[in-house]
Amino acid sequence: MSVNQDKSIYESLLEGNKIWVEETLKLDKDYFEKLSAGQSPPVLWIGCSDSRVPANQITNTMPGDIFVHRNIANVVTHTDMNLLSVLDYSVNVLKVKHVIVCGHYGCGGVNAALGNKQVGLIDNWLRNIKDVYYANEKEIISIEDPQQKSDRMVELNAIHGAKNVMSTSIIQNAWSNGQELSVHAWVYSLKTGLITDLKTSASSAEDVSPVFKMDAK
Ligand code: ZN
């Protein structure tokens, strides 16, 4: 991409912002005034950074509806301070009712983790997905079709991510304190635009291995 093209793209973004503001104000002249008063989104979304999976558009929601954390391949690890800070703030300050880990078929991060080609620093991040592969090796190896193998890994990665969310001290403490909160794993199809619930939701410590349970302080 040349510098000029680059410039026209960023200028078009600013132009697009002005158009969006005008159109939004036509529908509701107080929209920004009301939105600036504060937020109380009922949902935390943990999704992939992929440009084709924007949380609000694909769920037909608006600014203010979903608190969002995105990273490459929607990885959830217990030592990611960025993710843990978002989760802690969402659960303990915003008091979200649902945490959703949403993967998507055709995820470049998952596909890279399935291969052996070195990309760079990101290989260390994607190692987390190789761990998911390793934990489910028997099932994954038994799938011969590369597309199906990739799709199943995407699902398992989202499920693994949701389970990692459930086993954090943040969620375990919230459940011990009687907070109403559910954690879900979803997968989005780039080809159809549809989301599938992977049916591994949990809403109490009983749904998770006792080893992760935190007694109330
Ligand atoms: Zn992705």
mmCIF file with all atom_site columns, all heavy atoms in Angstrom, residues 1 18 36 39 41 43 46 48 51 61 63 70 81 91 114 128 130 133 151 157 170 198:
data_model
loop_
_atom_site.group_PDB
_atom_site.id
_atom_site.type_symbol
_atom_site.label_atom_id
_atom_site.label_alt_id
_atom_site.label_comp_id
_atom_site.label_asym_id
_atom_site.label_entity_id
_atom_site.label_seq_id
_atom_site.pdbx_PDB_ins_code
_atom_site.Cartn_x
_atom_site.Cartn_y
_atom_site.Cartn_z
_atom_site.occupancy
_atom_site.B_iso_or_equiv
_atom_site.pdbx_formal_charge
_atom_site.auth_seq_id
_atom_site.auth_comp_id
_atom_site.auth_asym_id
_atom_site.auth_atom_id
_atom_site.pdbx_PDB_model_num
ATOM 1   N N   . MET A 1 1   ? 0.847   -1.203  0.000  1.00 0.00 ? 1   MET A N   1
ATOM 2   C CA  . MET A 1 1   ? 0.000   0.000   0.000  1.00 0.00 ? 1   MET A CA  1
ATOM 3   C C   . MET A 1 1   ? 0.886   1.258   0.000  1.00 0.00 ? 1   MET A C   1
ATOM 4   O O   . MET A 1 1   ? 1.791   1.373   0.819  1.00 0.00 ? 1   MET A O   1
ATOM 5   C CB  . MET A 1 1   ? -0.877  -0.020  1.256  1.00 0.00 ? 1   MET A CB  1
ATOM 6   C CG  . MET A 1 1   ? -1.909  1.067   1.261  1.00 0.00 ? 1   MET A CG  1
ATOM 7   S SD  . MET A 1 1   ? -2.891  1.038   2.767  1.00 0.00 ? 1   MET A SD  1
ATOM 8   C CE  . MET A 1 1   ? -3.836  -0.465  2.507  1.00 0.00 ? 1   MET A CE  1
ATOM 9   N N   . LYS A 1 18  ? -17.620 11.659  10.629 1.00 0.00 ? 18  LYS A N   1
ATOM 10  C CA  . LYS A 1 18  ? -18.529 12.827  10.563 1.00 0.00 ? 18  LYS A CA  1
ATOM 11  C C   . LYS A 1 18  ? -19.906 12.408  10.046 1.00 0.00 ? 18  LYS A C   1
ATOM 12  O O   . LYS A 1 18  ? -20.945 12.827  10.564 1.00 0.00 ? 18  LYS A O   1
ATOM 13  C CB  . LYS A 1 18  ? -17.932 13.903  9.650  1.00 0.00 ? 18  LYS A CB  1
ATOM 14  C CG  . LYS A 1 18  ? -16.742 14.615  10.271 1.00 0.00 ? 18  LYS A CG  1
ATOM 15  C CD  . LYS A 1 18  ? -16.452 15.921  9.534  1.00 0.00 ? 18  LYS A CD  1
ATOM 16  C CE  . LYS A 1 18  ? -15.197 16.577  10.064 1.00 0.00 ? 18  LYS A CE  1
ATOM 17  N NZ  . LYS A 1 18  ? -13.990 16.180  9.298  1.00 0.00 ? 18  LYS A NZ  1
ATOM 18  N N   . SER A 1 36  ? -22.752 9.602   26.801 1.00 0.00 ? 36  SER A N   1
ATOM 19  C CA  . SER A 1 36  ? -21.593 10.113  27.550 1.00 0.00 ? 36  SER A CA  1
ATOM 20  C C   . SER A 1 36  ? -21.834 10.114  29.058 1.00 0.00 ? 36  SER A C   1
ATOM 21  O O   . SER A 1 36  ? -20.910 10.288  29.847 1.00 0.00 ? 36  SER A O   1
ATOM 22  C CB  . SER A 1 36  ? -21.228 11.527  27.075 1.00 0.00 ? 36  SER A CB  1
ATOM 23  O OG  . SER A 1 36  ? -22.268 12.428  27.406 1.00 0.00 ? 36  SER A OG  1
ATOM 24  N N   . GLN A 1 39  ? -21.662 4.068   31.333 1.00 0.00 ? 39  GLN A N   1
ATOM 25  C CA  . GLN A 1 39  ? -21.952 2.790   30.691 1.00 0.00 ? 39  GLN A CA  1
ATOM 26  C C   . GLN A 1 39  ? -22.304 1.741   31.731 1.00 0.00 ? 39  GLN A C   1
ATOM 27  O O   . GLN A 1 39  ? -21.779 1.750   32.849 1.00 0.00 ? 39  GLN A O   1
ATOM 28  C CB  . GLN A 1 39  ? -20.755 2.306   29.855 1.00 0.00 ? 39  GLN A CB  1
ATOM 29  C CG  . GLN A 1 39  ? -19.505 1.996   30.672 1.00 0.00 ? 39  GLN A CG  1
ATOM 30  C CD  . GLN A 1 39  ? -18.447 1.228   29.884 1.00 0.00 ? 39  GLN A CD  1
ATOM 31  O OE1 . GLN A 1 39  ? -18.721 0.634   28.853 1.00 0.00 ? 39  GLN A OE1 1
ATOM 32  N NE2 . GLN A 1 39  ? -17.225 1.232   30.388 1.00 0.00 ? 39  GLN A NE2 1
ATOM 33  N N   . PRO A 1 41  ? -22.826 -1.904  30.472 1.00 0.00 ? 41  PRO A N   1
ATOM 34  C CA  . PRO A 1 41  ? -23.062 -3.013  29.542 1.00 0.00 ? 41  PRO A CA  1
ATOM 35  C C   . PRO A 1 41  ? -23.269 -4.318  30.307 1.00 0.00 ? 41  PRO A C   1
ATOM 36  O O   . PRO A 1 41  ? -22.562 -4.576  31.278 1.00 0.00 ? 41  PRO A O   1
ATOM 37  C CB  . PRO A 1 41  ? -21.770 -3.056  28.718 1.00 0.00 ? 41  PRO A CB  1
ATOM 38  C CG  . PRO A 1 41  ? -20.734 -2.468  29.618 1.00 0.00 ? 41  PRO A CG  1
ATOM 39  C CD  . PRO A 1 41  ? -21.445 -1.434  30.439 1.00 0.00 ? 41  PRO A CD  1
ATOM 40  N N   . VAL A 1 43  ? -22.739 -7.274  29.146 1.00 0.00 ? 43  VAL A N   1
ATOM 41  C CA  . VAL A 1 43  ? -21.959 -8.355  28.522 1.00 0.00 ? 43  VAL A CA  1
ATOM 42  C C   . VAL A 1 43  ? -20.494 -7.962  28.359 1.00 0.00 ? 43  VAL A C   1
ATOM 43  O O   . VAL A 1 43  ? -20.190 -6.836  27.967 1.00 0.00 ? 43  VAL A O   1
ATOM 44  C CB  . VAL A 1 43  ? -22.538 -8.681  27.114 1.00 0.00 ? 43  VAL A CB  1
ATOM 45  C CG1 . VAL A 1 43  ? -21.664 -9.713  26.392 1.00 0.00 ? 43  VAL A CG1 1
ATOM 46  C CG2 . VAL A 1 43  ? -23.967 -9.187  27.218 1.00 0.00 ? 43  VAL A CG2 1
ATOM 47  N N   . ILE A 1 46  ? -15.148 -11.472 24.685 1.00 0.00 ? 46  ILE A N   1
ATOM 48  C CA  . ILE A 1 46  ? -13.733 -11.748 24.449 1.00 0.00 ? 46  ILE A CA  1
ATOM 49  C C   . ILE A 1 46  ? -13.659 -12.400 23.070 1.00 0.00 ? 46  ILE A C   1
ATOM 50  O O   . ILE A 1 46  ? -14.109 -13.537 22.886 1.00 0.00 ? 46  ILE A O   1
ATOM 51  C CB  . ILE A 1 46  ? -13.148 -12.674 25.542 1.00 0.00 ? 46  ILE A CB  1
ATOM 52  C CG1 . ILE A 1 46  ? -13.260 -12.003 26.912 1.00 0.00 ? 46  ILE A CG1 1
ATOM 53  C CG2 . ILE A 1 46  ? -11.691 -13.013 25.224 1.00 0.00 ? 46  ILE A CG2 1
ATOM 54  C CD1 . ILE A 1 46  ? -12.900 -12.916 28.090 1.00 0.00 ? 46  ILE A CD1 1
ATOM 55  N N   . CYS A 1 48  ? -11.794 -12.377 18.775 1.00 0.00 ? 48  CYS A N   1
ATOM 56  C CA  . CYS A 1 48  ? -10.560 -12.294 17.983 1.00 0.00 ? 48  CYS A CA  1
ATOM 57  C C   . CYS A 1 48  ? -10.398 -10.878 17.426 1.00 0.00 ? 48  CYS A C   1
ATOM 58  O O   . CYS A 1 48  ? -11.373 -10.185 17.152 1.00 0.00 ? 48  CYS A O   1
ATOM 59  C CB  . CYS A 1 48  ? -10.611 -13.301 16.839 1.00 0.00 ? 48  CYS A CB  1
ATOM 60  S SG  . CYS A 1 48  ? -9.095  -13.317 15.835 1.00 0.00 ? 48  CYS A SG  1
ATOM 61  N N   . SER A 1 51  ? -10.480 -8.367  11.704 1.00 0.00 ? 51  SER A N   1
ATOM 62  C CA  . SER A 1 51  ? -11.290 -7.199  11.304 1.00 0.00 ? 51  SER A CA  1
ATOM 63  C C   . SER A 1 51  ? -12.705 -7.572  10.873 1.00 0.00 ? 51  SER A C   1
ATOM 64  O O   . SER A 1 51  ? -13.568 -6.711  10.775 1.00 0.00 ? 51  SER A O   1
ATOM 65  C CB  . SER A 1 51  ? -10.590 -6.464  10.153 1.00 0.00 ? 51  SER A CB  1
ATOM 66  O OG  . SER A 1 51  ? -10.451 -7.331  9.035  1.00 0.00 ? 51  SER A OG  1
ATOM 67  N N   . THR A 1 61  ? -25.990 -4.971  18.064 1.00 0.00 ? 61  THR A N   1
ATOM 68  C CA  . THR A 1 61  ? -26.059 -4.164  19.288 1.00 0.00 ? 61  THR A CA  1
ATOM 69  C C   . THR A 1 61  ? -25.430 -2.795  19.037 1.00 0.00 ? 61  THR A C   1
ATOM 70  O O   . THR A 1 61  ? -24.847 -2.556  17.977 1.00 0.00 ? 61  THR A O   1
ATOM 71  C CB  . THR A 1 61  ? -25.346 -4.863  20.465 1.00 0.00 ? 61  THR A CB  1
ATOM 72  O OG1 . THR A 1 61  ? -24.034 -5.248  20.039 1.00 0.00 ? 61  THR A OG1 1
ATOM 73  C CG2 . THR A 1 61  ? -26.114 -6.075  20.936 1.00 0.00 ? 61  THR A CG2 1
ATOM 74  N N   . PRO A 1 63  ? -23.261 0.899   20.601 1.00 0.00 ? 63  PRO A N   1
ATOM 75  C CA  . PRO A 1 63  ? -22.285 1.354   21.597 1.00 0.00 ? 63  PRO A CA  1
ATOM 76  C C   . PRO A 1 63  ? -22.952 1.417   22.960 1.00 0.00 ? 63  PRO A C   1
ATOM 77  O O   . PRO A 1 63  ? -24.093 1.876   23.079 1.00 0.00 ? 63  PRO A O   1
ATOM 78  C CB  . PRO A 1 63  ? -21.909 2.760   21.098 1.00 0.00 ? 63  PRO A CB  1
ATOM 79  C CG  . PRO A 1 63  ? -22.127 2.710   19.617 1.00 0.00 ? 63  PRO A CG  1
ATOM 80  C CD  . PRO A 1 63  ? -23.307 1.799   19.432 1.00 0.00 ? 63  PRO A CD  1
ATOM 81  N N   . ARG A 1 70  ? -10.386 -7.845  22.755 1.00 0.00 ? 70  ARG A N   1
ATOM 82  C CA  . ARG A 1 70  ? -10.045 -8.680  21.597 1.00 0.00 ? 70  ARG A CA  1
ATOM 83  C C   . ARG A 1 70  ? -8.545  -8.891  21.526 1.00 0.00 ? 70  ARG A C   1
ATOM 84  O O   . ARG A 1 70  ? -7.763  -7.984  21.840 1.00 0.00 ? 70  ARG A O   1
ATOM 85  C CB  . ARG A 1 70  ? -10.551 -8.018  20.298 1.00 0.00 ? 70  ARG A CB  1
ATOM 86  C CG  . ARG A 1 70  ? -12.070 -8.011  20.206 1.00 0.00 ? 70  ARG A CG  1
ATOM 87  C CD  . ARG A 1 70  ? -12.592 -7.109  19.105 1.00 0.00 ? 70  ARG A CD  1
ATOM 88  N NE  . ARG A 1 70  ? -12.389 -7.645  17.769 1.00 0.00 ? 70  ARG A NE  1
ATOM 89  C CZ  . ARG A 1 70  ? -12.801 -7.020  16.650 1.00 0.00 ? 70  ARG A CZ  1
ATOM 90  N NH1 . ARG A 1 70  ? -13.416 -5.861  16.745 1.00 0.00 ? 70  ARG A NH1 1
ATOM 91  N NH2 . ARG A 1 70  ? -12.588 -7.555  15.469 1.00 0.00 ? 70  ARG A NH2 1
ATOM 92  N N   . MET A 1 81  ? -2.272  -9.964  31.912 1.00 0.00 ? 81  MET A N   1
ATOM 93  C CA  . MET A 1 81  ? -2.755  -8.884  32.783 1.00 0.00 ? 81  MET A CA  1
ATOM 94  C C   . MET A 1 81  ? -3.781  -7.988  32.092 1.00 0.00 ? 81  MET A C   1
ATOM 95  O O   . MET A 1 81  ? -4.661  -7.423  32.740 1.00 0.00 ? 81  MET A O   1
ATOM 96  C CB  . MET A 1 81  ? -1.574  -8.035  33.279 1.00 0.00 ? 81  MET A CB  1
ATOM 97  C CG  . MET A 1 81  ? -0.766  -8.682  34.384 1.00 0.00 ? 81  MET A CG  1
ATOM 98  S SD  . MET A 1 81  ? -1.794  -9.143  35.803 1.00 0.00 ? 81  MET A SD  1
ATOM 99  C CE  . MET A 1 81  ? -2.261  -7.529  36.407 1.00 0.00 ? 81  MET A CE  1
ATOM 100 N N   . VAL A 1 91  ? -16.447 -7.610  35.803 1.00 0.00 ? 91  VAL A N   1
ATOM 101 C CA  . VAL A 1 91  ? -17.194 -8.386  36.793 1.00 0.00 ? 91  VAL A CA  1
ATOM 102 C C   . VAL A 1 91  ? -17.424 -7.571  38.069 1.00 0.00 ? 91  VAL A C   1
ATOM 103 O O   . VAL A 1 91  ? -18.536 -7.546  38.605 1.00 0.00 ? 91  VAL A O   1
ATOM 104 C CB  . VAL A 1 91  ? -16.444 -9.704  37.121 1.00 0.00 ? 91  VAL A CB  1
ATOM 105 C CG1 . VAL A 1 91  ? -17.068 -10.413 38.309 1.00 0.00 ? 91  VAL A CG1 1
ATOM 106 C CG2 . VAL A 1 91  ? -16.430 -10.601 35.892 1.00 0.00 ? 91  VAL A CG2 1
ATOM 107 N N   . LEU A 1 114 ? -1.944  -24.508 14.018 1.00 0.00 ? 114 LEU A N   1
ATOM 108 C CA  . LEU A 1 114 ? -2.042  -25.887 13.539 1.00 0.00 ? 114 LEU A CA  1
ATOM 109 C C   . LEU A 1 114 ? -0.837  -26.263 12.669 1.00 0.00 ? 114 LEU A C   1
ATOM 110 O O   . LEU A 1 114 ? -0.582  -27.431 12.421 1.00 0.00 ? 114 LEU A O   1
ATOM 111 C CB  . LEU A 1 114 ? -3.332  -26.076 12.728 1.00 0.00 ? 114 LEU A CB  1
ATOM 112 C CG  . LEU A 1 114 ? -4.597  -26.335 13.535 1.00 0.00 ? 114 LEU A CG  1
ATOM 113 C CD1 . LEU A 1 114 ? -5.832  -26.237 12.643 1.00 0.00 ? 114 LEU A CD1 1
ATOM 114 C CD2 . LEU A 1 114 ? -4.543  -27.695 14.209 1.00 0.00 ? 114 LEU A CD2 1
ATOM 115 N N   . ASN A 1 128 ? -0.317  -21.141 23.050 1.00 0.00 ? 128 ASN A N   1
ATOM 116 C CA  . ASN A 1 128 ? -1.489  -21.451 23.889 1.00 0.00 ? 128 ASN A CA  1
ATOM 117 C C   . ASN A 1 128 ? -2.489  -22.323 23.128 1.00 0.00 ? 128 ASN A C   1
ATOM 118 O O   . ASN A 1 128 ? -3.156  -23.172 23.716 1.00 0.00 ? 128 ASN A O   1
ATOM 119 C CB  . ASN A 1 128 ? -2.169  -20.153 24.332 1.00 0.00 ? 128 ASN A CB  1
ATOM 120 C CG  . ASN A 1 128 ? -1.328  -19.375 25.323 1.00 0.00 ? 128 ASN A CG  1
ATOM 121 O OD1 . ASN A 1 128 ? -1.045  -19.837 26.417 1.00 0.00 ? 128 ASN A OD1 1
ATOM 122 N ND2 . ASN A 1 128 ? -0.897  -18.186 24.934 1.00 0.00 ? 128 ASN A ND2 1
ATOM 123 N N   . LYS A 1 130 ? -1.656  -24.329 20.613 1.00 0.00 ? 130 LYS A N   1
ATOM 124 C CA  . LYS A 1 130 ? -1.037  -25.652 20.473 1.00 0.00 ? 130 LYS A CA  1
ATOM 125 C C   . LYS A 1 130 ? -1.304  -26.501 21.719 1.00 0.00 ? 130 LYS A C   1
ATOM 126 O O   . LYS A 1 130 ? -1.448  -27.710 21.653 1.00 0.00 ? 130 LYS A O   1
ATOM 127 C CB  . LYS A 1 130 ? 0.476   -25.523 20.211 1.00 0.00 ? 130 LYS A CB  1
ATOM 128 C CG  . LYS A 1 130 ? 0.817   -25.049 18.795 1.00 0.00 ? 130 LYS A CG  1
ATOM 129 C CD  . LYS A 1 130 ? 2.318   -25.051 18.567 1.00 0.00 ? 130 LYS A CD  1
ATOM 130 C CE  . LYS A 1 130 ? 2.687   -24.476 17.197 1.00 0.00 ? 130 LYS A CE  1
ATOM 131 N NZ  . LYS A 1 130 ? 2.373   -25.379 16.079 1.00 0.00 ? 130 LYS A NZ  1
ATOM 132 N N   . TYR A 1 133 ? -4.603  -27.989 21.269 1.00 0.00 ? 133 TYR A N   1
ATOM 133 C CA  . TYR A 1 133 ? -4.437  -29.124 20.345 1.00 0.00 ? 133 TYR A CA  1
ATOM 134 C C   . TYR A 1 133 ? -3.917  -30.338 21.116 1.00 0.00 ? 133 TYR A C   1
ATOM 135 O O   . TYR A 1 133 ? -4.474  -31.432 21.023 1.00 0.00 ? 133 TYR A O   1
ATOM 136 C CB  . TYR A 1 133 ? -3.437  -28.745 19.242 1.00 0.00 ? 133 TYR A CB  1
ATOM 137 C CG  . TYR A 1 133 ? -3.155  -29.837 18.238 1.00 0.00 ? 133 TYR A CG  1
ATOM 138 C CD1 . TYR A 1 133 ? -3.735  -29.819 16.970 1.00 0.00 ? 133 TYR A CD1 1
ATOM 139 C CD2 . TYR A 1 133 ? -2.289  -30.895 18.539 1.00 0.00 ? 133 TYR A CD2 1
ATOM 140 C CE1 . TYR A 1 133 ? -3.476  -30.807 16.041 1.00 0.00 ? 133 TYR A CE1 1
ATOM 141 C CE2 . TYR A 1 133 ? -2.023  -31.895 17.630 1.00 0.00 ? 133 TYR A CE2 1
ATOM 142 C CZ  . TYR A 1 133 ? -2.618  -31.852 16.373 1.00 0.00 ? 133 TYR A CZ  1
ATOM 143 O OH  . TYR A 1 133 ? -2.352  -32.848 15.467 1.00 0.00 ? 133 TYR A OH  1
ATOM 144 N N   . ASP A 1 151 ? -11.887 -26.111 11.843 1.00 0.00 ? 151 ASP A N   1
ATOM 145 C CA  . ASP A 1 151 ? -13.152 -25.683 12.464 1.00 0.00 ? 151 ASP A CA  1
ATOM 146 C C   . ASP A 1 151 ? -13.273 -26.229 13.890 1.00 0.00 ? 151 ASP A C   1
ATOM 147 O O   . ASP A 1 151 ? -13.693 -25.518 14.809 1.00 0.00 ? 151 ASP A O   1
ATOM 148 C CB  . ASP A 1 151 ? -14.353 -26.171 11.632 1.00 0.00 ? 151 ASP A CB  1
ATOM 149 C CG  . ASP A 1 151 ? -14.501 -25.385 10.337 1.00 0.00 ? 151 ASP A CG  1
ATOM 150 O OD1 . ASP A 1 151 ? -13.754 -24.413 10.139 1.00 0.00 ? 151 ASP A OD1 1
ATOM 151 O OD2 . ASP A 1 151 ? -15.361 -25.763 9.511  1.00 0.00 ? 151 ASP A OD2 1
ATOM 152 N N   . ASN A 1 157 ? -10.827 -24.166 20.972 1.00 0.00 ? 157 ASN A N   1
ATOM 153 C CA  . ASN A 1 157 ? -10.101 -23.003 21.507 1.00 0.00 ? 157 ASN A CA  1
ATOM 154 C C   . ASN A 1 157 ? -11.055 -22.049 22.228 1.00 0.00 ? 157 ASN A C   1
ATOM 155 O O   . ASN A 1 157 ? -10.720 -21.512 23.287 1.00 0.00 ? 157 ASN A O   1
ATOM 156 C CB  . ASN A 1 157 ? -9.368  -22.282 20.373 1.00 0.00 ? 157 ASN A CB  1
ATOM 157 C CG  . ASN A 1 157 ? -8.524  -21.120 20.872 1.00 0.00 ? 157 ASN A CG  1
ATOM 158 O OD1 . ASN A 1 157 ? -7.764  -21.255 21.831 1.00 0.00 ? 157 ASN A OD1 1
ATOM 159 N ND2 . ASN A 1 157 ? -8.668  -19.970 20.228 1.00 0.00 ? 157 ASN A ND2 1
ATOM 160 N N   . ILE A 1 170 ? -11.273 -14.428 39.684 1.00 0.00 ? 170 ILE A N   1
ATOM 161 C CA  . ILE A 1 170 ? -12.270 -13.347 39.526 1.00 0.00 ? 170 ILE A CA  1
ATOM 162 C C   . ILE A 1 170 ? -13.676 -13.936 39.413 1.00 0.00 ? 170 ILE A C   1
ATOM 163 O O   . ILE A 1 170 ? -14.601 -13.534 40.134 1.00 0.00 ? 170 ILE A O   1
ATOM 164 C CB  . ILE A 1 170 ? -11.944 -12.500 38.263 1.00 0.00 ? 170 ILE A CB  1
ATOM 165 C CG1 . ILE A 1 170 ? -10.572 -11.841 38.415 1.00 0.00 ? 170 ILE A CG1 1
ATOM 166 C CG2 . ILE A 1 170 ? -13.042 -11.468 37.991 1.00 0.00 ? 170 ILE A CG2 1
ATOM 167 C CD1 . ILE A 1 170 ? -9.956  -11.354 37.113 1.00 0.00 ? 170 ILE A CD1 1
ATOM 168 N N   . LEU A 1 198 ? -21.842 -22.895 21.677 1.00 0.00 ? 198 LEU A N   1
ATOM 169 C CA  . LEU A 1 198 ? -21.191 -24.201 21.786 1.00 0.00 ? 198 LEU A CA  1
ATOM 170 C C   . LEU A 1 198 ? -21.652 -24.999 23.013 1.00 0.00 ? 198 LEU A C   1
ATOM 171 O O   . LEU A 1 198 ? -21.117 -26.065 23.306 1.00 0.00 ? 198 LEU A O   1
ATOM 172 C CB  . LEU A 1 198 ? -19.664 -24.018 21.793 1.00 0.00 ? 198 LEU A CB  1
ATOM 173 C CG  . LEU A 1 198 ? -19.107 -23.502 20.448 1.00 0.00 ? 198 LEU A CG  1
ATOM 174 C CD1 . LEU A 1 198 ? -17.646 -23.085 20.589 1.00 0.00 ? 198 LEU A CD1 1
ATOM 175 C CD2 . LEU A 1 198 ? -19.248 -24.552 19.357 1.00 0.00 ? 198 LEU A CD2 1
#
